[in-house]
């Protein structure tokens, strides 16, 4: 994952260094003194019409932030500007002597840093302003940036360069519960850019997983092959409970379309890849007569997979039971996995504790094809997938309701 720092405008104080250049008037052979008549044949009218001395040319260097300022906000431009003359050797260095990168305008009357300021740092200006008359004035002075006592860290669920399934949501988790104003501030800066037009929206899900979280999903499944770039600018934002620690970005690709049609009534799963059926496997789903064992109805997604998972349900008499070729499809304990003990029921009856059971060979065959974000569409169940079933239930939320979960939605 890349972490980068973001720059936006900020209000900064400005310091100034001024160099004056006085012009001079020389009127050869002409003298005029108060109370004395003009000489050398010059009339009073001619003396009065002589040109006035030009106004002095003033060269002013303005420094932003102003030297001596404390608690400067880290976002925005750090800049030196000259009203006349030219700037040279401009540098803005931190307490370790490292210089911010920057560049001059074509006429060298402005130098602007091209990287943001760091938190809790002291910066020192150096360089020179050369006035039109050649006078040189140094640029000097230091300022300090804000020192946060708390930070807000964000994490993205999809790694840079990953390939994911057509139902994959983008999930940003924060390590603190954010107030409504902070959610709105963050959402205004969020960006999802796609190589082909895709309708989608951000939604804030409940803060019940150790901090706030915002998800983005498309209205319909992603188009195959879409290139996606996500930008999460956090750095420098005052979020009320802390300052954003770092920006986040990721770029990923939507892979082939693989949809699992999981019909409880048929006691089978059918795997459709790019529109073609590639598997039709006998399965056993959760026992319908026990609401705690029912496989949830609705669109799940493949979240992770592992060759071996230890499963526990003390209420039903098992702890750390090893199960193999396990593909997680929710955070309520639902997997598609091998279960040799239920092979006799697979394709005939639903007897599991909520998982979709396959034979060992069939489970491995499916496991090898599964990818994060693949949809698993469960039908025929009596209990719908909902927020009670874990932190990823994005496709169970109707589209209009999903859009209304934006922090920017207008009620």
């Amino acid at each position: 994952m890349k972490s980068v720092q973001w720059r936006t405008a900020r209000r900064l104080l400005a310091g100034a260094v001024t160099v004056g250049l006085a012009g001079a008037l020389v009127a050869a052979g002409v003298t005029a003194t108060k109370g004395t008549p003009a000489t050398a044949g010059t009339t009073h009218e001619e003396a009065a019409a002589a040109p006035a001395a030009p106004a002095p040319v003033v060269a002013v260097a303005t420094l932003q932030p102003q030297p001596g300022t404390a608690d400067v906000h880290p976002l925005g431009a750090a800049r030196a500007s000259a009203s006349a003359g030219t700037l040279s050797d401009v540098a803005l260095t931190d307490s370790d002597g490292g210089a911010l990168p920057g560049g001059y305008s074509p006429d060298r009357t402005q130098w602007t840093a091209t990287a943001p300021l760091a938190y809790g740092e002291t910066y020192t200006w150096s360089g020179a302003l050369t006035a039109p008359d050649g006078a040189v004035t140094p640029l000097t002075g230091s300022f300090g940036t804000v020192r946060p006592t708390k930070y807000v860290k964000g994490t993205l669920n999809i790694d840079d360069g990953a390939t994911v399934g057509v139902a994959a949501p983008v999930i940003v988790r924060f390590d603190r519960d954010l107030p409504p104003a902070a959610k709105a501030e963050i959402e205004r800066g969020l960006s999802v850019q796609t190589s082909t037009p895709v309708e989608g929206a951000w939604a804030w899900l409940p803060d019940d997983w150790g901090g706030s979280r915002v998800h983005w999903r498309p209205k319909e499944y992603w188009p195959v092959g879409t290139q996606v770039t996500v930008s999460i600018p956090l750095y420098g934002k005052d979020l009320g409970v802390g300052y954003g620690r770092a920006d986040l970005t990721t770029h990923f690709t939507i892979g082939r379309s693989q949809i699992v049609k999981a019909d409880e009534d048929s006691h089978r799963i059918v795997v459709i890849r790019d529109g073609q059926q590639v598997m039709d496997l006998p399965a056993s789903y959760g026992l319908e007569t026990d609401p705690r064992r029912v496989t949830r109805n609705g669109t799940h997604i493949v979240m992770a997979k592992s060759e071996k998972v230890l499963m526990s349900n003390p209420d039903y008499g098992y702890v750390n039971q090893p199960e193999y070729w396990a593909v997680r499809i929710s955070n309520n304990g639902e997997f598609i996995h091998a279960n040799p003990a239920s092979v006799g029921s697979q394709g005939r009856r639903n007897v599991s504790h909520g998982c979709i059971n396959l034979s060992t060979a069939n489970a491995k065959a499916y496991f090898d094809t599964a990818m994060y974000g693949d949809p698993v569409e469960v039908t025929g169940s009596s209990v719908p997938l909902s927020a009670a079933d874990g932190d990823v239930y994005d496709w169970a939320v109707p589209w209009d309701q999903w859009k209304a979960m934006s922090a920017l939605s207008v009620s």
Side-chain angles (χ1 to χ4, degrees):
M1 205 76 63
K2 300 178 183 175
S3 291
V4 294
Q5 296 178 329
W6 196 260
R7 299 177 54 243
T8 58
R10 69 172 181 274
R11 183 179 63 191
L12 296 172
L13 300 176
V17 178
T18 305
V19 178
L21 174 63
L25 171 65
V26 178
V30 178
T31 62
T33 305
K34 182 177 180 180
T36 304
T39 60
T42 302
T43 67
H44 288 288
E45 290 78 5
E46 290 173 329
V57 177
V58 178
V60 178
T62 302
L63 302 178
Q64 300 175 316
Q66 178 184 0
T69 307
D71 295 330
V72 170
H73 198 281
L75 294 181
R79 179 178 294 119
S81 302
S83 63
T86 58
L87 297 170
S88 60
D89 300 323
V90 177
L92 190 55
T93 55
D94 60 26
S95 55
D96 293 326
L100 280 182
Y104 294 96
S105 61
D107 61 1
R108 297 185 73 86
T109 60
Q110 188 172 95
W111 178 94
T112 303
T114 54
L117 302 169
Y119 289 124
E121 186 57 85
T122 298
Y123 288 94
T124 301
W125 286 105
S126 61
L129 166 62
T130 302
D133 67 350
V136 177
T137 301
L139 308 181
T140 60
S142 299
F143 63 89
T145 56
V146 66
R147 295 177 180 271
T149 58
K150 295 180 180 179
Y151 293 94
V152 175
K153 180 182 179 182
T155 55
L156 272 163
N157 67 319
I158 301 178
D159 290 339
D160 197 54
T163 299
V164 300
V166 296
V170 178
I171 301 174
V172 188
R173 296 183 183 274
F174 303 93
D175 60 354
R176 296 181 183 276
D177 290 345
L178 302 174
K183 291 180 179 179
E185 171 67 15
I186 288 173
E187 190 175 339
R188 276 189 284 269
L190 301 179
S191 171
V192 178
Q193 297 181 332
T194 57
S195 60
T196 188
V198 178
E199 182 180 359
W202 292 99
W204 292 86
L205 279 68
D207 296 348
D208 53 7
W209 289 81
S212 294
R213 55 201 173 107
V214 62
H215 294 207
W216 191 98
R217 75 164 175 89
K219 181 180 180 181
E220 308 292 343
Y221 293 157
W222 292 98
V224 170
T226 302
Q227 299 292 313
V228 185
T229 299
V230 179
S231 299
I232 315 294
L234 296 177
Y235 179 78
K237 293 182 182 291
D238 184 352
L239 301 174
V241 293
Y243 279 79
R245 182 176 289 278
D247 298 341
L248 306 172
T249 62
T250 190
H251 177 86
F252 58 91
T253 302
I254 305 303
R256 82 289 178 271
S257 170
Q258 178 161 295
I259 303 171
V260 175
K261 303 286 187 178
D263 179 26
E264 290 199 20
D265 293 333
S266 70
H267 315 295
R268 306 187 73 84
I269 69 169
V270 175
V271 181
I272 308 296
R273 187 180 305 142
D274 293 326
Q276 302 295 316
Q277 179 176 308
V278 294
M279 296 182 191
D280 183 355
L281 309 173
S284 182
Y285 295 82
L287 182 67
E288 278 285 329
T289 57
D290 184 344
R292 294 190 297 169
R293 292 174 62 174
V294 175
T295 305
R296 298 320 195 221
N297 207 68
T299 300
H300 305 58
I301 67 162
V302 170
M303 299 173 63
K305 62 182 185 178
S306 179
E307 294 183 10
K308 177 182 177 181
V309 172
L310 297 178
M311 298 188 182
S312 298
N313 195 331
D315 290 348
Y316 291 92
Y318 61 93
V319 176
N320 291 333
Q321 172 68 36
E323 301 292 355
Y324 296 90
W325 309 115
V327 177
R328 180 183 288 278
I329 60 171
S330 79
N331 273 340
N332 68 354
E334 291 175 314
F335 290 80
I336 300 173
H337 69 88
N339 189 349
S342 69
V343 167
S345 298
Q346 292 168 19
R348 300 173 55 219
R349 296 188 303 274
N350 296 327
V351 300
S352 84
H353 289 83
C355 293
I356 301 174
N357 290 174
L358 305 175
S359 70
T360 298
N362 287 342
K364 183 180 186 306
Y366 168 66
F367 178 97
D368 288 342
T369 70
M371 177 187 295
Y372 171 78
D374 286 343
V376 178
E377 300 174 352
V378 178
T379 56
S381 165
S382 61
V383 180
L385 182 71
S386 71
D389 295 302
D391 57 336
V392 181
Y393 54 93
D394 300 32
W395 294 95
V397 181
W399 182 242
D400 287 343
Q401 181 182 340
W402 181 266
K403 291 191 296 182
M405 293 161 65
S406 163
L408 304 178
S409 63
V410 178
S411 58

